[in-house]
Amino acid sequence: MYFSVFSSSLLRKLHTLYKIININNLSNSITFVVSKKNKLKIIWGLDSKNLIYTYIKIYIKKYTNEKVTVSIKFMIDILTTFYNEKLLIKKKKNTLNIYSKQGIYEIPIYYDSNHSNILIFKSYFLRISLFSNILLKILKKTLFATGDEDLKPIFNGVFFQFFTNEANFVATDTYKLVKYTIKNFKTDKNIQFIVSRKYLNIVKDILTYEKKNKIIFLIIFNTNIIFHFKNHIFSCQLINEKYPNYHSFIPHQKCHISLIINKFLLLNTIKRISIFSKKNFFIDFHFNHKKLKVCDQNTIDLNNSIYEIECKVIFNYLKNMKIGFNSKFLIETLSSLNEDFVYFELYQKMGIIKPLYNKKKEESIFILIMSTIKI
């Protein structure tokens, strides 16, 4: 391995990759592979099946088919000391040597089994095209509803459902459920798969460094998916389990009460109650005589701690109703929506929130939140 590269170009590539690695508290090692097309492939991986690739143009002095694994932080620390200088990089026995005008600098090389056996996929099952801003929107609409890693894998991932005429994106942690639908989304065949929140957070971070409105390719294999960006390629394993029938969680009967509420008014009221609450996360909604009142579920003196919210009543089957919710879930849900007003439907054991669109859209979303029981 012997090539030349400008220090600033390599530094920019490594710095972007390091931010993604550092945010997600991942392995610090990267692998360099030189291609015959005057490109340096930079690889980071949790293991041989979950990898990020990126490329940079180089000038090959001598081509050898080998891999070199180094610390990305060590490389960045060294490269920041150069001012856009053309460097020669050459592999020796146990070091990767950087030759500059000022001297020679030895970078330690070490073995990393995560990068030693990189998978090569010869054929794929399906390829889906998405704009980068659409994929980022999908992740922002769904990731907040995924569960922690102590739950079953299917509950800490997002369920992708592609049909020939629309696509659904579903996430649930058993306490809340979100279903985001894009209409008139056409694919060659129906396909569905689950991707872990852990990997989708990496995808989300990569998207922040990619240009907007660029086409992203989702290439699906039997057990893996590749996110093919303009400047990065991320390959990760799918969750190989059957997703639960989320339709069974969605109520089909009429709700008890349906309201239209200003999202910001409701969100800020809940935040305010949470700040003053001695025991966080639980609030009560009281509906009485076409008025909605909100209070901390643990409040003793209701008269001094009740907040009345203006709303428009669409339907009320019950004249009086009291229901409790986790305020943290409501804050996450309302914060994920861009619209100014929302429908808030109240059932006996749950609430459903939907955005109120000003005009017809090629998308729809609803979020279900289970009620809490005061003990």
Side-chain angles (χ1 to χ4, degrees):
M1 182 180 287
Y2 187 26
F3 61 90
S4 65
V5 66
F6 282 99
S7 59
S8 58
S9 300
L10 182 55
L11 180 61
R12 277 196 301 271
K13 282 287 182 182
L14 294 183
H15 199 258
T16 299
L17 188 57
Y18 182 67
K19 282 183 179 179
I20 297 166
I21 291 170
N22 202 36
I23 288 170
N24 294 280
N25 194 25
L26 303 171
S27 167
N28 186 46
S29 64
I30 56 169
T31 297
F32 293 142
V33 180
V34 174
S35 73
K36 292 180 180 179
K37 297 180 179 179
N38 283 322
K39 285 186 177 181
L40 177 69
K41 182 191 287 187
I42 305 169
I43 307 165
W44 166 88
L46 278 171
D47 50 51
S48 61
K49 295 181 180 179
N50 302 289
L51 304 162
I52 295 177
Y53 303 77
T54 188
Y55 295 86
I56 184 172
K57 187 176 181 181
I58 58 172
Y59 304 92
I60 298 173
K61 299 291 183 180
K62 183 180 179 182
Y63 174 77
T64 55
N65 185 20
E66 57 187 339
K67 304 179 182 72
V68 174
T69 300
V70 296
S71 163
I72 187 172
K73 188 176 186 306
F74 196 93
M75 284 294 296
I76 288 172
D77 290 343
I78 294 296
L79 290 170
T80 50
T81 65
F82 297 104
Y83 180 74
N84 198 26
E85 185 178 333
K86 192 174 185 180
L87 303 173
L88 289 173
I89 299 178
K90 187 175 184 180
K91 181 185 179 295
K92 292 293 185 179
K93 287 184 178 180
N94 296 313
T95 61
L96 188 68
N97 290 0
I98 297 177
Y99 297 85
S100 76
K101 295 175 182 178
Q102 293 80 37
I104 303 170
Y105 308 91
E106 296 182 347
I107 310 298
I109 292 174
Y110 54 92
Y111 177 77
D112 191 339
S113 60
N114 287 347
H115 303 171
S116 60
N117 297 307
I118 298 168
L119 291 181
I120 298 173
F121 299 102
K122 294 182 179 179
S123 61
Y124 59 84
F125 179 58
L126 185 68
R127 188 170 85 163
I128 299 168
S129 301
L130 275 174
F131 282 107
S132 55
N133 59 323
I134 297 297
L135 180 55
L136 185 59
K137 188 175 183 180
I138 291 166
L139 299 183
K140 287 180 178 179
K141 297 284 186 187
T142 55
L143 280 176
F144 77 92
T146 54
D148 298 324
E149 290 188 4
D150 55 346
L151 292 173
K152 290 182 179 180
I154 53 173
F155 295 126
N156 57 51
V158 174
F159 183 42
F160 290 72
Q161 253 188 332
F162 291 96
F163 302 103
T164 53
N165 59 344
E166 70 174 29
N168 295 324
F169 310 94
V170 184
T172 182
D173 61 358
T174 71
Y175 294 103
K176 54 186 180 292
L177 182 147
V178 57
K179 179 190 174 189
Y180 177 52
T181 300
I182 300 178
K183 301 168 186 175
N184 293 329
F185 189 102
K186 296 182 179 180
T187 55
D188 295 335
K189 61 175 76 173
N190 296 342
I191 188 171
Q192 54 191 34
F193 52 87
I194 312 166
V195 186
S196 167
R197 177 179 69 173
K198 180 179 182 179
Y199 301 139
L200 289 176
N201 275 325
I202 294 172
V203 172
K204 187 178 176 183
D205 292 330
I206 293 173
L207 284 167
T208 60
Y209 299 105
E210 292 282 330
K211 290 184 178 179
K212 293 181 180 179
N213 297 321
K214 292 295 180 182
I215 293 178
I216 308 299
F217 296 109
L218 280 62
I219 306 171
I220 298 94
F221 300 88
N222 288 331
T223 58
N224 270 63
I225 181 170
I226 290 180
F227 294 87
H228 202 298
F229 306 89
K230 182 181 179 181
N231 298 310
H232 297 86
I233 299 171
F234 179 42
S235 170
C236 65
Q237 284 183 296
L238 298 170
I239 296 175
N240 190 23
E241 293 186 32
K242 186 178 180 180
Y243 204 76
N245 179 17
Y246 61 87
H247 294 285
S248 63
F249 298 103
I250 302 170
H252 299 289
Q253 72 275 21
K254 263 192 173 183
C255 61
H256 298 316
I257 298 168
S258 178
L259 314 165
I260 293 178
I261 306 176
N262 183 297
K263 182 197 74 173
F264 299 103
L265 181 61
L266 179 59
L267 177 60
N268 289 330
T269 300
I270 297 169
K271 284 182 177 178
R272 200 175 302 120
I273 292 171
S274 298
I275 292 169
F276 284 101
S277 176
K278 293 179 181 179
K279 295 182 180 180
N280 290 329
F281 303 147
F282 299 105
I283 58 173
D284 280 337
F285 284 80
H286 299 257
F287 182 80
N288 187 17
H289 300 296
K290 296 187 178 182
K291 291 183 180 179
L292 183 67
K293 297 181 179 180
V294 188
C295 70
D296 175 11
Q297 199 175 80
N298 300 288
T299 297
I300 298 174
D301 187 0
L302 293 177
N303 293 324
N304 295 326
S305 303
I306 266 191
Y307 301 88
E308 188 173 306
I309 298 179
E310 292 182 9
C311 59
K312 181 180 179 182
V313 180
I314 303 301
F315 174 82
N316 62 310
Y317 177 73
L318 298 176
K319 291 183 179 180
N320 298 288
M321 186 178 183
K322 179 181 176 182
I323 187 169
F325 290 104
N326 184 311
S327 59
K328 183 173 178 287
F329 294 165
L330 284 171
I331 290 170
E332 289 173 339
T333 296
L334 293 167
S335 299
S336 71
L337 301 174
N338 298 324
E339 291 69 28
D340 293 342
F341 290 86
V342 295
Y343 288 105
F344 197 2
E345 298 176 355
L346 300 176
Y347 295 80
Q348 187 178 3
K349 296 181 179 179
M350 68 186 73
I352 290 180
I353 295 176
K354 303 175 186 177
L356 177 62
Y357 298 118
N358 293 326
K359 56 183 180 180
K360 189 177 180 181
K361 285 199 170 187
E362 294 299 319
E363 64 176 2
S364 65
I365 185 169
F366 85 86
I367 303 160
L368 182 152
I369 304 176
M370 299 302 295
S371 65
T372 57
I373 301 172
K374 188 174 181 179
I375 300 174

